[in-house]
Amino acid sequence: MDKKIINQVINIVGPENVLTDNEERICYSYDGTFKRGIPDIVVFPGNTQEVVSIIKLANSEKIPVFPRGAGTGLSGGSIPQANGIALVMTKMNKIKEINENDLLAVVEPGVITGHLHQEVEKLNLFYPPDPASLKTCTMGGNIAENAGGPRAFKYGVTRDYVLGLEVVTPTGKVMRTGGRTVKNVTGYDLTRLLTGSEGTLGVITEITVRLIPKPKYKKTALVIFDNLDDAAKTVTVVISEGVIPATLELMDRITIACVEKNTKLGLPLDAEAILLMEVDGSDAQTTEEINIIQNICKKNNCRRIEVASTFEEREKLWKARRAVSSAIVQLKPTKISEDATVPRSKIPEMIRRLREIATKYNLNLPVFGHAGDGNLHPNIIADKSDKEEMERVEKAVSEIFEAALELGGTLSGEHGVGIMKKPYLEWELGEVGLEYLKTIKKAVDPNNILNPGKIF
Amino acid sequence: MLEKQYREMLNKCSRCGGCQAHCPLYTETGREPYVARGKVELIENLQGGNLEWNDRLAEIFSTCLLCGSCSENCPNGVEVDKMVRAARKDLVAARGLPIIKKNVFQHLLKYNGRLKTIGKLLAFYQKSGLQKVLRGTGILKLFPMKLAEKERILPRISGKAFRDSFPAKTGLDNPKLKVAYFTGCVTNLVTPQVGASVLKVLSSNNVEVIIPVQYCCGVPALASGEMEVAKFLAAENIKYFKSLDVDYIVMDCATCFSTWLEYPELLKSEDASQLAKKVMDINIFLVEILDIKLEPRNLGIKVTYHDPCHLKRTPGGKSSPRELLKRLSPCYEYVELELADRCCGSAGSFNLTHYDLSQKVAMHKVDSIANSKAEIVASACPSCIMQLNHSLQNSGSKVEAKHVIELVAECIESDE
């Protein structure tokens, strides 16, 4: 990058907030995927005005800007494409307000999601979105990717909690969308457009989120099934009986085998599925709901059911689920984490198709994920240094997407498109849909400054 | 080139970024080069030939506490602290050590006599009034690198080495157990009262203590990637300890202890493997082997405990020191410390080479010690204790850091 421009950037944010050494820039070339792109310069703005100045400079010099939070994304959304500026928002990390009367919080984009959880829960309030990376990921990144998490089935995803945003537009102006009320239909719903826009339509500089009262009790059931269809049917019946579990996680046979091999928890290797269900709410409600769940599981031929209500006992039941991530990478080092999602009723069919795909391409493909919302997380476990295998992975991924779409599902439930799913976008959106997206992008970002090369 | 096992580990890191939540230095800096996955990415680039060792990389790789929190919490089981050490070894091979470290390792660590002389010189400096004069004139402040602050890290030292002050054998008539005591350099040269406490507690429990000839455990060299010096020191220690007829080898320093546990991997010798089985931290020894009973007087002093990184991951390493402190009730009233197992920021010479950052890390500790309302913070690693005392003094706190064994010794009525 031109020395003159670097100096201008330094003038805006101060020398301590700019990284230009190759060794440092390399550390901003990645996210949670295996894709890479090294930025020319890494910049840490400290306030909205600095973001405005950087974006204006980028427009006048025609330099692409790649907004970034903690860099934990799983779609390559924050990875720099054609050099340019990595705009790291982690320094703007203040919780500005937690309002118990209006049930909302106002935060800067660099606030760590788990940190917000802790702070609101101290006041007996609850911010439900819980992406797996919540101990490190930032609120700004969650908004940009519209992050989900295991609690999404009962409580919804990030977009269901965003009331309002402050955004620096791609041409460097400050815009406020939405506000501090649950109801707001004034104008287009720009808050929802920006939420999940993957950094292409604006840089988020302030977020107002809705909070709800924190559920007081939790009860957990771990259920083992000999037959996958019985597990799937259990899920359907539980929901039709009016019980919406806060967590409804499924592990398939391959996942069970990996976990057992690694942890020796005594999981049955001949079982086809394990369901982990957790209900939350009042004492009476959770007691009633867990009883209903127990009855349904028994009627649907479960082999074994364990129920827990204290924290320690519940943690024991969670142990198997928590051990999944580390267990499956023991097979091979590279994890390609997909999040193709299908309607709930299609879960057994999707799992069957995933097995066929795994067999066809001779790949390790454990399935574990959020059964309540059909977000199954098929994970291909491969070795990125094995070129031939990675070619098979690519073919398998494309067939997984095809299967999900055929079953009425979507390419991405919660990771976003980024660069990983870009080639498949038209399959789902069609030509008209894709064109619509591009038209919006061109209209608000005429110089194609913000996160170019992403989504489409 | 990295060893094979670390090359394989490179592939296991998925760059999920989970390490950010556990790295004390990332908390302070907010910068990726200082967190585990950033270093893994840099190692991968070094391996792939996209980078070559240079000053910037040397600085980045020196900025790690080796506290192991990232490894402990990595969902994929990547041992980044070990990879950083392997990278430092690579760096030493490629560019050599910084001149100060090179001199310390080659000309001091290998020679007990020279180490002692340094100790005596420092004691003279403190006692002669020279320290007072230098501090008073403000001359130290004229030096770069915060010399004035760093000079205060070292507590008042005795000048007489512990191992020179006590016989090589305690010589009990009919001991129930015999142990060899590896004192470590800090106890030997800086805080001999810790060593005296070890002897008092063991003797009063009818355990014979032998203090053999010994050298630095080698951790300064090992952590810096200077493997030849580390191997030399390990081999010397094995040589002096292998022929002893003892049941255990005890140590009061968590760092020496963890280094001894690495001797088998370092030396790949049968002697090292056999001796590593006898090695035991003093806290674990007192609780699990001796199961000591204490009859403390009622003082009602609140005490809390800081987990040294080098002890907390050993079986019994978290529970034994706490158990001892609880057995000191009502002499001492034990209270748990928030984030007790978070690194204090000492990390060997890190608190000298990265003074400001090290002090920032320590301030979290100082805050949680203040919140605990304890009057004493106990620990089980002499270098943690030095760091804690320095940071507590910096913050104007009256809390004192002490070794658990000192508190135990105080509660035992002396026979003499």
Side-chain angles (χ1 to χ4, degrees), chain A residues 96 106 164-167 174-179 190-191 206-208:
Chain A
K96 291 179 162 178
V106 182
L165 297 170
E166 179 193 79
V167 174
V174 180
M175 170 173 78
R176 297 199 78 100
T177 75
L190 296 179
T191 307
E206 189 193 278
I207 305 150
T208 305

Side-chain angles (χ1 to χ4, degrees), chain A residues 16-17 19 21-24 26-33 36 44 68 70-72 90 135-136 325-327 329-330 333-335 383-385, chain B residues 11-22 26 30-34 37-39 41-42 44-45 50-52 54 56-57 60 75-77:
Chain A
E16 69 281 12
N17 294 310
L19 305 178
D21 285 351
N22 186 27
E23 294 78 15
E24 295 169 316
I26 283 175
C27 295
Y28 291 86
S29 67
Y30 49 72
D31 64 0
T33 65
R36 296 290 184 273
F44 300 82
R68 180 184 173 97
T72 60
T90 48
K135 279 186 183 167
T136 49
S325 282
S326 31
V329 288
Q330 303 305 320
T334 313
K335 179 167 78 178
D383 182 349
K384 69 179 172 189
S385 56
Chain B
N11 278 333
K12 279 197 177 176
C13 172
S14 64
R15 310 294 191 275
C16 71
C19 38
Q20 289 177 357
H22 304 284
Y26 185 78
R31 299 285 162 91
E32 286 277 334
Y34 303 120
R37 73 166 169 175
K39 293 203 171 66
E41 181 74 14
L42 290 171
E44 194 166 88
N45 274 277
N50 303 325
L51 283 176
E52 275 181 23
N54 58 22
R56 191 74 193 86
L57 281 174
I60 289 171
N76 293 2

